[in-house]
Amino acid sequence: MTDFVAQLFSLEGKTAIVTGASRGIGAGIAIAFKRAGANLVCLARSQEASDPCLADNYRSCDITDPGEFKVVCQEASSEYGSIEILVNAAGVTYPMADGEISSEKLQTTLATNLVGAYQCCELVSTYMVHGGSIINVTSIGSIQAFP
């Protein structure tokens, strides 16, 4: 990467929280943000990061519990001064062989993919003292059911 491109996409001095950072798109975004120099907080329900380069910045957090996420925001704000970026990449999906989903799985899906993402936006906004960016990641599953 050229110096110009590195400077153009630099996140030096910016604090980013990435949910769903244990794998997939969330992990990919977290790795890119780390390479761009962000102060990084990686979150997922898993106990360990799947990518070793994220291990130092990783912590287990269930975003369906607003209390857990609030503690993350408080700690990140205390350590880095403010939070500039939130990436909501956490999500759950359940394959449905018969086209039906149990009530329990539906509740879990809504609690994570909808309510959890909303609560993260609401909570982090109070720590974005100089403004910031919130990026909500979804999948095609939000508009098309998979059998």
Side-chain angles (χ1 to χ4, degrees), residues 46-106:
S46 309
Q47 294 300 314
E48 294 181 9
S50 61
D51 193 303
C53 84
L54 299 177
D56 292 343
N57 309 95
Y58 186 86
R59 73 178 278 175
S60 179
C61 178
D62 181 353
I63 66 159
T64 66
D65 179 347
E68 277 191 50
F69 187 75
K70 185 174 184 176
V71 169
V72 169
C73 290
Q74 289 169 335
E75 290 174 354
S77 182
S78 292
E79 184 172 349
Y80 301 116
S82 67
I83 300 167
E84 288 78 25
I85 304 165
L86 168 66
V87 177
N88 273 319
V92 296
T93 186
Y94 297 101
M96 299 178 290
D98 57 5
E100 294 187 21
I101 187 169
S102 70
S103 179
E104 180 182 321
K105 288 181 179 177
L106 177 62

Side-chain angles (χ1 to χ4, degrees), residues 11 16-19 25-26 29 33 84-90 117 120-121 124 128 132-138:
L11 294 176
I17 296 175
V18 180
T19 71
I25 293 171
I29 291 170
F33 280 18
E84 288 78 25
I85 304 165
L86 168 66
V87 177
N88 273 319
C120 288
C121 292
V124 79
M128 293 181 159
S133 298
I134 297 175
I135 303 162
N136 292 311
V137 178
T138 82

